[in-house]
Amino acid sequence: MSITYLDAIREAQARALEEDPNVFIYGQDVADFGGAFKATKGLAERFPGRVIDAPISEDAIVGSAVGAAIEGMRPIVEMQFADFSAVAFNQIVNQSATHYWRTGVPCPITIRLPSGGTEGSGPFHSQSVESLYAHYPGLIVMTPATVEDAYGMLLEAIRIEDPVIFCEHKLLYYHLKADALPRSVLPVGKARIARVGRHASVVACSAMVHEALRAARVLADEGWEIEVVDLRTAKPIDTDTILASVARTGRLLAVAESFPWGGITAEVVSRVVTEGFHLLDAPPQRLNSKDTPVPYHPNLWRAHRPTWQSIAASVRHLLGL
Amino acid sequence: MSITYLDAIREAQARALEEDPNVFIYGQDVADFGGAFKATKGLAERFPGRVIDAPISEDAIVGSAVGAAIEGMRPIVEMQFADFSAVAFNQIVNQSATHYWRTGVPCPITIRLPSGGTEGSGPFHSQSVESLYAHYPGLIVMTPATVEDAYGMLLEAIRIEDPVIFCEHKLLYYHLKADALPRSVLPVGKARIARVGRHASVVACSAMVHEALRAARVLADEGWEIEVVDLRTAKPIDTDTILASVARTGRLLAVAESFPWGGITAEVVSRVVTEGFHLLDAPPQRLNSKDTPVPYHPNLWRAHRPTWQSIAASVRHLLGL
Amino acid sequence: MPSLSPSPTASRWKGFANERERFLAAYRWMILARIFEEKIAALYRAGKIVGGVYLGRGQEAFSVALGMQLDQAHGDLFAGLIRDQGGRMAFGETLMDSARTYLGSVEGPMRGRDGNIHRGRPTRGMPAMISHLGTMVAVVNGMLMAKRFHGRVDVVGGVTIGDGGTSTGAFHEGLNQAAVEKLPLVVAVADNQYAYSTPTCHQYACADLADRAAGYGVRGYSIDGTDLTACLETFHEAIERARRGEGPQLVVGKLLRLAGHGEHDDARYIPARKRQEPHGGDCVALAREKALKSAWASAKEIDEWHAQTQERVEEAVARAQSEPEPNPFRESWHALATKHLAEGTPPAQ
Amino acid sequence: MPSLSPSPTASRWKGFANERERFLAAYRWMILARIFEEKIAALYRAGKIVGGVYLGRGQEAFSVALGMQLDQAHGDLFAGLIRDQGGRMAFGETLMDSARTYLGSVEGPMRGRDGNIHRGRPTRGMPAMISHLGTMVAVVNGMLMAKRFHGRVDVVGGVTIGDGGTSTGAFHEGLNQAAVEKLPLVVAVADNQYAYSTPTCHQYACADLADRAAGYGVRGYSIDGTDLTACLETFHEAIERARRGEGPQLVVGKLLRLAGHGEHDDARYIPARKRQEPHGGDCVALAREKALKSAWASAKEIDEWHAQTQERVEEAVARAQSEPEPNPFRESWHALATKHLAEGTPPAQ
Ligand SMILES: Cc1ncc(C[n+]2csc(CCOP(=O)(O)OP(=O)(O)O)c2C)c(N)n1
Ligand SMILES: Cc1ncc(C[n+]2csc(CCOP(=O)(O)OP(=O)(O)O)c2C)c(N)n1
Ligand SMILES: [Mg+2]
Ligand SMILES: [Mg+2]
């Protein structure tokens, strides 16, 4: 059997629907159609009445998910693209994220965001918004990079008592495959050493983990052992695991697909230097997408985002090569 | 004559209206009423038809400002509170910020955001959102800390060909005073040395500059000379001026009122360590508000935000005291 | 509000023997709301209130008529906004919950974290509003969807909004969502002629906001919001229709805000003549007149209710004032229910 | 579209001598849109298109009737969405602008930065849509407000939306804003029975989206969107009323999307019988029938138009395909017009 990242997301939802009668799915075209990316295919039939098509009203979709959660449900909201969460921004950061803190009543909703850039998708179907939501208190932000994590973390997301922003990368949907669903995964909040090394640490998440791994393989041919840390969650960030890695390597490159100002790379670099300054043998480096909207044409898009080539170049710089 | 920060904002708008017939003001209660904070008081009378009351439709307000800008106008949008920009988020980051890049047609709008915490205002009338908007390509984010800058930078904001997020701090509105309006101010994009020192650099913006200055005065009594850098713009960040300051002091504390994950402090610290690692004599430090919504009760609010006391404590830590 | 005695209780129409009983029950909630808010306004002027003060003066009939006829014990919901002191209390909010949030007691439902008008008890059918107008409609929709998932289709959710709030995208999305899902929702639009200083001509261009009902496929009502009897009858019908499965109901009440937007605002932009125009009256005074004219209560009885209510309010305020304020050192400063995932705590092992 | 000859030109009603002329002009724009989109769809299947492809098949009459009767040279505006190939061209977009964006030429109006359906020329009355539905209404409002500031009250803005897009908060805020400001806006709602796979019963609960007009205080029209004559007459009236200062006009066209949501979608969720039901027909075929029946054009003439159009389309596509793609090394990678303030460049001195 071969299971894709997308299959894993579907299976996690199926299992959650099966295990907990309070779970339901709400979003545009998620019912009979099975969702724009087919992440809910077959679920409406298997779980009648529990997979519901929504009008094009992202604000109301999230608002009603909050209401349902207050009353004990565990809604899974699917946005058609992460970019469209911008019109639900207020309900996410001001309604869902503040609810538990303000009232003491938890708000267990999961918002699934098909994220990240793909060829020819352009400025409004390509965004990586994890940094946006991680900035706000009261949200957990997951950025799974593997089939196993897509499955295990989504199950956890649904079980968690807090709103979870679940950033699934569209580029991984079909191509990333595993042999089987995992029995268990690392606890939420723990980062993963995706590749062991000793010359430099590259910290990344989501699709960038695979670019980093590829860069590490290329550099391995040149004799450099690069450690790759998969953050898994953008919030909380597992600072301890990152620090431990930097303690081993003395060098840090933080990579993310989101825009350069602020965001994950700034947060990771800042934590490492404030808490582990003495561990560093060289100035830490950052690599992000460029400071423009995500371009539509593949020629531009490939130059806009970090790739294994630009990561390898940054690591070489970090190594003083 | 004594001019408050709020007067300066009003006068800048008056002058812009006078100088350029394409300038107009649009927002809730801005016309006859003069705005929730009286920042547009008297302008509707002085400039008939050019100060317009809007319905409670922040999304449409910003969307229409973009449209007007495309056709050559220079709209100033007033949000009643920065927090309400959350419902205009999409039009700000996806419509206004991408317009020039996508089409080559500039989008000169200014969005005035009464920002920051005050006693008893709570989670939805207190937010500092500069980090949010600075993350997105295509926006300029201003955070004036002085009466002079409130005036000079707002005038510049209106003249600039790009969308400007103008974060005015409510706590400064009435209490911050100057003798006269400035004849000129530093160019946009340049930071300001608000106080010269040699033992440590505190980088801050908006109301936090004043907390930092007060902390510096207290520390001066103890014999420490603290340099305070007023960022003035959150985007672009004047990295050169910050680096020059750190080169003098060897120590950096970045302070901001916004939430701790990501944001200005992470960006400032990251830039300094990636570009000026060798300048640092100690691990750089960050100080933000706590990772919860902004509390309503003054007892909690005062503990939530950075203050001169907590800044002084952080600087002492930075100095190894 | 168990401590107020003799006291009307939140109840559906069937709980009242006759029109007189229902009317007087509502009238007494209105008196309570009015007296409580006057006390709060006085405390505000004296600098004793934490945060702003926004009054429902002039809107008590409209607000109470909805809140009182919903049945909290049955599972109904009431989502009030800033001018719903009356409706909140009539629905079942305790006087102490109200007093505590205004006075900054840590015992209040928001524990000092959020403020007076944002208060709520979400698990008791009273969601806690956020400031962003229009957003609570969808929240109530979701609560009703949850009830339906749990087999409860006979509960009704009441949600309130002002004329200004109807201009928000959130309001539109919420009302349309409710209509599509055919939820038992009653939307009460208090068209009080102003949104802060903005008159309705800058807010909408239709003849009556109830004209929006047809566009959503919901039933619309337009009434004089200062007439308690009309309010009671209309909300009664709307609630019963919603409960019977007829879907959302949109009730527009015409009235006038008899105060500033908040107590910091002298509302000089509202011309004095507005009070003489239709819907410009004081619903509490009008209810009193009607009670007297119908011989449902004597002036003496009414005076006694006032006096008793005043006393209860003073008591509640005094008690709230004596309670501790929030202590920053006792705060957890974690925004997550999942404590071990809050930043600053060690990650789970 | 100067290179297409003989060719109808974008013009107001007055520019046409009689009904026949107007009808045939529109019909020929419809043919152009249909043939162009068929070519693009074929190229998509061959893997030659950058990005997705979304067709306006079945909506040409409704779209063209609006676009053609607006007057670009006069200063009118047309804000089309993904199914407005017809309206865009009839308003004044060049065939090369269309072809270039689909084929990734750097010469296109978006220079490879943004894609086919998002294309626009904002300074020529054609704003460039963002994906987020509903948001362009307010943008056009602002353009019309600017024109009014500049003394131009006789220009009209046309904006299109689908049934699904009406559920967005942005659409509501925009339409309400236009009504309050009494702007010369014509809103064309193409109710094509689906939003992606979602039928209208999950989108709205009113009988007809034109029922929303009264709630905004604007004039509403509900027409058969497959009937070119009805579309031409209705939009003509709506545009003239808007131009005369009567405020926003809401025109709802009932029709059926005769394609998948995009070309990646086989639309098997649309039952075949829909095409036999009212409004399920192909407006291009219906226009042809009417032209023949009215003896306004012969089958031979129409065949010639098709052949000529096909040739022009092939030419345009071939030319666009021969043009250079965007080059990342030539990109400025700055999102600001104020170059010296873009991050990465030295600050101003
Ligand atoms: C989205 C949003 N924008 C702005 C505000 C600021 N604000 C608070 S109350 C108010 C006026 C509300 O008017 P209306 O809805 O008519 O209610 P009323 O105050 O008259 O009861 C405004 C503009 C807000 N709360 N939410
Ligand atoms: C706010 C928003 N949410 C979701 C989408 C994704 N999306 C693109 S087109 C579409 C369906 C639109 O349906 P409708 O408005 O009826 O137009 P049609 O495609 O039928 O012409 C959806 C959901 C979007 N573009 N914008
Ligand atoms: Mg009002
Ligand atoms: Mg449609």
Side-chain angles (χ1 to χ4, degrees):
Chain A
M1 197 177 78
S2 158
I3 289 163
T4 65
Y5 185 91
L6 184 65
D7 293 334
I9 286 165
R10 186 168 45 242
E11 289 309 314
Q13 293 179 93
R15 184 164 154 196
L17 283 160
E18 211 163 69
E19 287 180 354
D20 184 347
N22 286 314
V23 172
F24 72 102
I25 301 178
Y26 193 42
Q28 289 145 24
D29 305 294
V30 295
D32 295 343
F33 190 64
F37 295 98
K38 301 293 169 199
T40 58
K41 197 176 165 191
L43 299 182
E45 212 180 336
R46 245 178 96 186
F47 303 97
R50 294 173 61 196
V51 185
I52 305 173
D53 278 341
I56 306 182
S57 303
E58 282 80 1
D59 186 273
I61 290 170
V62 174
S64 62
V66 171
I70 292 174
E71 287 284 331
M73 301 296 292
R74 301 207 161 245
I76 304 170
V77 165
E78 176 180 296
M79 294 276 158
Q80 216 146 62
F81 284 83
D83 315 57
F84 297 132
S85 73
V87 289
F89 183 71
N90 181 53
Q91 293 277 20
I92 297 173
V93 306
N94 285 319
Q95 189 89 258
S96 85
T98 67
H99 198 269
Y100 171 71
W101 185 80
R102 293 167 61 236
T103 66
V105 178
C107 180
I109 71 175
T110 300
I111 304 181
R112 290 185 34 241
L113 301 182
S115 303
T118 50
E119 289 205 350
S121 294
F124 310 117
H125 290 74
S126 303
Q127 291 173 26
S128 298
V129 294
E130 60 281 344
S131 303
L132 198 63
Y133 295 112
H135 181 59
Y136 272 82
L139 298 172
I140 291 168
V141 182
M142 300 187 179
T143 51
T146 67
V147 176
E148 290 79 3
D149 275 349
Y151 181 77
M153 290 171 74
L154 182 50
L155 268 176
E156 267 307 299
I158 300 164
R159 288 180 192 141
I160 278 176
E161 291 284 329
D162 291 291
V164 177
I165 307 297
F166 193 82
C167 304
E168 20 187 270
H169 203 292
K170 301 192 295 289
L171 213 58
L172 306 180
Y173 271 165
Y174 310 106
H175 302 304
L176 204 62
K177 287 181 185 146
D179 290 337
L181 292 174
R183 281 176 198 280
S184 73
V185 293
L186 281 178
V188 170
K190 288 294 281 178
R192 179 178 68 98
I193 305 297
R195 181 186 175 106
V196 177
R198 60 197 175 97
H199 295 120
S201 301
V202 179
V203 176
C205 65
S206 191
M208 286 298 133
V209 171
H210 302 283
E211 299 290 335
L213 287 170
R214 185 154 171 203
R217 287 195 297 270
V218 168
L219 290 162
D221 293 341
E222 303 170 19
W224 300 101
E225 295 174 30
I226 307 305
E227 183 146 306
V228 177
V229 180
D230 172 4
L231 279 177
R232 299 178 72 243
T233 50
K235 190 166 185 186
I237 285 180
D238 180 1
T239 316
D240 291 349
T241 298
I242 299 170
L243 286 172
S245 175
V246 174
R248 285 189 288 276
T249 64
R251 281 164 213 269
L252 168 70
L253 170 68
V255 182
E257 192 176 329
S258 53
F259 301 124
W261 197 106
I264 290 191
T265 61
E267 187 61 31
V268 166
V269 165
S270 296
R271 291 194 190 194
V272 168
V273 295
T274 55
E275 298 179 38
F277 192 67
H278 57 286
L279 305 172
L280 289 160
D281 298 330
Q285 299 297 319
R286 298 162 70 191
L287 191 58
N288 294 288
S289 284
K290 293 196 197 301
D291 197 30
T292 73
V294 185
Y296 164 77
H297 197 286
N299 291 0
L300 302 181
W301 175 69
R302 283 190 289 261
H304 183 264
R305 69 195 277 266
T307 57
W308 65 267
Q309 293 98 326
S310 60
I311 294 171
S314 293
V315 173
R316 285 194 193 97
H317 176 74
L318 183 64
L319 294 168
L321 302 176
Chain B
M1 198 176 77
S2 159
I3 290 162
T4 65
Y5 184 91
L6 183 65
D7 294 334
I9 288 165
R10 186 169 44 240
E11 289 309 314
Q13 293 179 95
R15 182 163 155 198
L17 283 160
E18 212 162 69
E19 287 181 355
D20 184 347
N22 286 312
V23 172
F24 72 101
I25 302 178
Y26 192 41
Q28 289 143 24
D29 305 294
V30 294
D32 294 343
F33 190 63
F37 294 98
K38 301 295 168 197
T40 59
K41 195 173 165 195
L43 299 182
E45 212 180 337
R46 244 177 96 187
F47 303 96
R50 294 173 63 196
V51 185
I52 306 172
D53 278 340
I56 306 184
S57 303
E58 282 80 1
D59 186 273
I61 290 170
V62 175
S64 62
V66 172
I70 293 173
E71 288 283 332
M73 301 296 291
R74 302 208 161 244
I76 304 170
V77 164
E78 176 180 298
M79 294 275 160
Q80 216 146 62
F81 284 82
D83 315 57
F84 298 131
S85 73
V87 289
F89 183 71
N90 181 53
Q91 294 277 22
I92 298 173
V93 306
N94 285 319
Q95 189 90 259
S96 84
T98 67
H99 198 268
Y100 170 72
W101 185 81
R102 293 167 61 235
T103 66
V105 178
C107 180
I109 70 175
T110 300
I111 304 181
R112 289 186 34 239
L113 301 182
S115 303
T118 49
E119 289 206 349
S121 294
F124 311 118
H125 290 74
S126 304
Q127 291 173 26
S128 298
V129 295
E130 59 280 345
S131 303
L132 197 64
Y133 294 112
H135 181 58
Y136 272 81
L139 299 172
I140 291 169
V141 182
M142 300 187 180
T143 51
T146 66
V147 175
E148 290 78 4
D149 275 348
Y151 181 78
M153 290 171 75
L154 182 50
L155 268 177
E156 267 308 298
I158 300 164
R159 288 180 192 141
I160 278 175
E161 291 283 330
D162 291 291
V164 176
I165 307 297
F166 192 82
C167 303
E168 17 186 272
H169 203 292
K170 301 193 295 288
L171 213 57
L172 306 180
Y173 271 166
Y174 310 106
H175 302 304
L176 204 62
K177 287 181 184 142
D179 289 336
L181 292 173
R183 281 177 198 279
S184 73
V185 293
L186 281 177
V188 169
K190 288 293 280 179
R192 178 178 68 99
I193 306 297
R195 182 187 174 105
V196 176
R198 59 195 177 100
H199 294 121
S201 301
V202 178
V203 176
C205 65
S206 191
M208 286 298 134
V209 171
H210 301 283
E211 299 289 336
L213 287 170
R214 183 155 173 201
R217 286 194 298 271
V218 169
L219 289 162
D221 293 341
E222 302 170 20
W224 301 100
E225 294 173 32
I226 307 305
E227 183 146 306
V228 177
V229 180
D230 172 6
L231 279 176
R232 300 179 72 242
T233 50
K235 189 168 187 185
I237 285 181
D238 180 0
T239 316
D240 291 349
T241 298
I242 300 170
L243 286 172
S245 175
V246 174
R248 286 189 287 274
T249 64
R251 288 175 153 78
L252 169 69
L253 170 68
V255 182
E257 192 175 329
S258 53
F259 301 125
W261 197 107
I264 290 191
T265 61
E267 187 61 30
V268 166
V269 166
S270 296
R271 291 193 189 195
V272 168
V273 296
T274 56
E275 298 179 35
F277 192 67
H278 58 286
L279 305 173
L280 288 161
D281 298 331
Q285 300 296 320
R286 299 163 69 192
L287 190 60
N288 294 289
S289 284
K290 294 197 196 299
D291 197 30
T292 72
V294 185
Y296 165 76
H297 197 285
N299 291 1
L300 301 180
W301 175 70
R302 283 189 289 261
H304 183 264
R305 70 195 277 266
T307 57
W308 65 268
Q309 294 98 328
S310 61
I311 293 171
S314 292
V315 172
R316 286 194 192 96
H317 176 74
L318 183 65
L319 295 169
L321 301 177
Chain C
M1 201 184 55
S3 62
L4 252 193
S5 149
S7 147
T9 53
S11 165
R12 288 155 66 185
W13 162 244
K14 296 172 193 70
F16 293 98
N18 53 37
E19 201 191 329
R20 171 180 175 275
E21 256 196 36
R22 180 173 70 169
F23 187 94
L24 291 184
Y27 175 41
R28 294 182 62 188
W29 286 116
M30 290 165 62
I31 291 174
L32 174 59
R34 178 68 61 91
I35 288 178
F36 175 76
E37 289 200 335
E38 274 169 5
K39 176 70 188 175
I40 295 298
L43 288 165
Y44 176 83
R45 288 188 294 272
K48 298 269 165 66
I49 296 292
V50 177
V53 166
Y54 302 82
L55 302 186
R57 187 198 305 260
Q59 309 194 182
E60 292 91 342
F62 191 67
S63 183
V64 163
L66 173 58
M68 188 183 84
Q69 297 186 95
L70 291 167
D71 189 344
Q72 187 185 32
H74 180 70
D76 286 354
L77 313 169
F78 179 79
L81 294 185
I82 63 178
R83 306 207 194 281
D84 286 304
Q85 185 64 44
R88 286 167 186 257
M89 287 174 149
F91 178 74
E93 186 179 80
T94 66
L95 184 54
M96 283 312 297
D97 266 9
S98 305
R100 281 169 168 148
T101 41
Y102 278 104
L103 293 159
S105 157
V106 73
E107 315 270 327
M110 315 307 276
R111 297 156 296 157
R113 294 177 177 184
D114 202 351
N116 39 51
I117 48 182
H118 296 135
R119 68 188 184 268
R121 294 261 184 205
T123 53
R124 296 191 205 159
M126 299 180 292
M129 69 173 273
I130 66 168
S131 292
H132 302 71
L133 292 167
T135 55
M136 299 310 293
V137 180
V139 172
V140 173
N141 289 347
M143 295 175 83
L144 292 170
M145 286 165 79
K147 302 247 183 205
R148 185 168 69 189
F149 271 117
H150 294 144
R152 294 296 308 276
V153 293
D154 63 338
V155 292
V156 175
V159 66
T160 70
I161 191 107
D163 43 286
T166 65
S167 301
T168 60
F171 179 74
H172 168 71
E173 292 195 3
L175 181 49
N176 186 57
Q177 177 185 51
V180 167
E181 289 292 328
K182 220 168 189 248
L183 296 172
L185 181 78
V186 175
V187 180
V189 181
D191 186 344
N192 64 7
Q193 308 185 43
Y194 289 88
Y196 208 149
S197 76
T198 305
T200 47
C201 62
H202 278 113
Q203 203 65 246
Y204 59 77
C206 54
D208 187 316
L209 285 170
D211 295 345
R212 298 228 165 133
Y216 293 98
V218 307
R219 184 176 289 264
Y221 310 76
S222 180
I223 59 172
D224 179 349
T226 65
D227 176 346
L228 177 56
T229 304
C231 293
L232 285 166
E233 279 170 5
T234 306
F235 279 118
H236 181 258
E237 179 185 341
I239 291 168
E240 289 310 300
R241 281 187 187 274
R243 208 181 294 287
R244 283 202 301 268
E246 294 183 24
Q249 313 284 315
L250 180 71
V251 182
V252 177
K254 308 281 189 80
L255 38 80
L256 180 65
R257 198 186 74 208
L258 301 181
H261 172 62
E263 284 306 276
H264 58 279
D265 170 28
D266 61 13
R268 76 177 68 171
Y269 48 82
I270 303 187
R273 64 172 160 73
K274 284 266 174 203
R275 300 220 176 181
Q276 267 60 58
E277 291 175 4
H279 320 305
D282 176 351
C283 59
V284 176
L286 291 169
R288 182 188 146 94
E289 258 172 53
K290 169 141 184 180
L292 291 174
K293 211 165 97 188
S294 312
W296 285 343
S298 68
K300 185 160 163 287
E301 276 174 301
I302 295 175
D303 287 349
E304 263 169 38
W305 296 340
H306 272 258
Q308 284 164 3
T309 306
Q310 190 76 49
E311 204 175 306
R312 297 284 167 193
V313 165
E314 297 292 345
E315 262 175 47
V317 165
R319 187 166 148 208
Q321 279 182 317
S322 74
E323 288 172 351
E325 295 183 341
N327 178 340
F329 302 105
R330 296 220 172 162
E331 266 291 327
S332 73
W333 297 113
H334 287 161
L336 295 179
T338 319
K339 291 279 173 287
H340 74 274
L341 293 180
E343 296 258 40
T345 50
Q349 220 47 57
Chain D
M1 201 183 59
S3 62
L4 251 192
S5 147
S7 146
T9 52
S11 167
R12 288 156 66 185
W13 164 244
K14 297 171 192 72
F16 293 99
N18 52 37
E19 200 191 330
R20 170 179 176 275
E21 256 197 36
R22 179 172 70 169
F23 187 94
L24 291 184
Y27 174 42
R28 293 181 63 189
W29 285 117
M30 291 165 62
I31 291 173
L32 174 59
R34 177 68 60 91
I35 289 179
F36 176 76
E37 288 200 335
E38 273 169 5
K39 177 71 189 176
I40 295 298
L43 288 166
Y44 176 83
R45 287 188 296 273
K48 297 268 166 66
I49 296 293
V50 177
V53 167
Y54 303 81
L55 302 186
R57 186 197 307 261
Q59 310 194 181
E60 292 91 342
F62 191 68
S63 183
V64 163
L66 174 58
M68 188 183 84
Q69 297 186 94
L70 291 167
D71 189 343
Q72 188 185 31
H74 180 70
D76 287 353
L77 313 168
F78 180 80
L81 294 184
I82 64 177
R83 306 207 193 279
D84 288 304
Q85 185 64 43
R88 286 166 185 257
M89 286 174 150
F91 178 74
E93 186 179 80
T94 66
L95 184 53
M96 283 312 296
D97 265 9
S98 304
R100 282 170 168 146
T101 42
Y102 279 104
L103 293 159
S105 157
V106 73
E107 315 270 327
M110 315 306 276
R111 297 156 295 155
R113 295 179 176 183
D114 202 350
N116 40 52
I117 47 181
H118 296 135
R119 69 188 183 268
R121 296 260 183 205
T123 52
R124 297 191 204 159
M126 302 180 290
M129 67 172 274
I130 66 167
S131 292
H132 302 70
L133 293 167
T135 54
M136 299 310 292
V137 181
V139 173
V140 173
N141 290 347
M143 295 174 83
L144 292 170
M145 287 164 78
K147 301 245 183 206
R148 186 168 65 188
F149 271 116
H150 294 143
R152 295 295 309 276
V153 294
D154 63 339
V155 293
V156 176
V159 66
T160 71
I161 192 108
D163 43 287
T166 64
S167 300
T168 60
F171 178 74
H172 168 71
E173 292 194 4
L175 182 48
N176 185 58
Q177 177 186 49
V180 167
E181 289 291 328
K182 217 163 191 252
L183 296 172
L185 181 78
V186 175
V187 181
V189 181
D191 186 345
N192 64 6
Q193 308 185 44
Y194 289 88
Y196 209 149
S197 77
T198 304
T200 47
C201 63
H202 278 113
Q203 203 67 244
Y204 59 78
C206 54
D208 187 315
L209 284 170
D211 295 346
R212 299 228 165 133
Y216 293 98
V218 307
R219 184 175 288 263
Y221 310 77
S222 180
I223 59 172
D224 179 349
T226 66
D227 176 345
L228 176 56
T229 305
C231 292
L232 285 166
E233 279 171 6
T234 305
F235 278 119
H236 181 259
E237 179 184 343
I239 291 168
E240 289 309 301
R241 280 186 188 275
R243 208 181 294 286
R244 282 203 301 268
E246 295 183 24
Q249 313 284 315
L250 181 71
V251 181
V252 177
K254 307 283 190 79
L255 38 79
L256 180 65
R257 196 186 73 208
L258 301 181
H261 172 62
E263 284 307 275
H264 58 278
D265 170 28
D266 62 13
R268 75 177 68 172
Y269 48 83
I270 303 186
R273 65 171 158 73
K274 283 268 175 203
R275 300 220 177 183
Q276 267 60 59
E277 291 175 4
H279 320 304
D282 176 351
C283 59
V284 176
L286 291 169
R288 183 187 147 95
E289 257 172 54
K290 168 139 184 184
L292 291 174
K293 212 165 95 189
S294 313
W296 284 345
S298 68
K300 186 161 162 287
E301 277 174 301
I302 294 176
D303 287 350
E304 264 169 36
W305 296 340
H306 272 259
Q308 287 165 359
T309 307
Q310 189 76 50
E311 206 175 303
R312 298 283 168 194
V313 165
E314 297 292 344
E315 263 174 46
V317 165
R319 186 167 148 208
Q321 279 181 316
S322 74
E323 289 173 350
E325 296 183 339
N327 178 341
F329 302 105
R330 296 221 174 161
E331 266 290 327
S332 73
W333 296 114
H334 287 161
L336 296 180
T338 320
K339 293 278 173 288
H340 74 274
L341 292 181
E343 296 258 40
T345 49
Q349 219 49 56

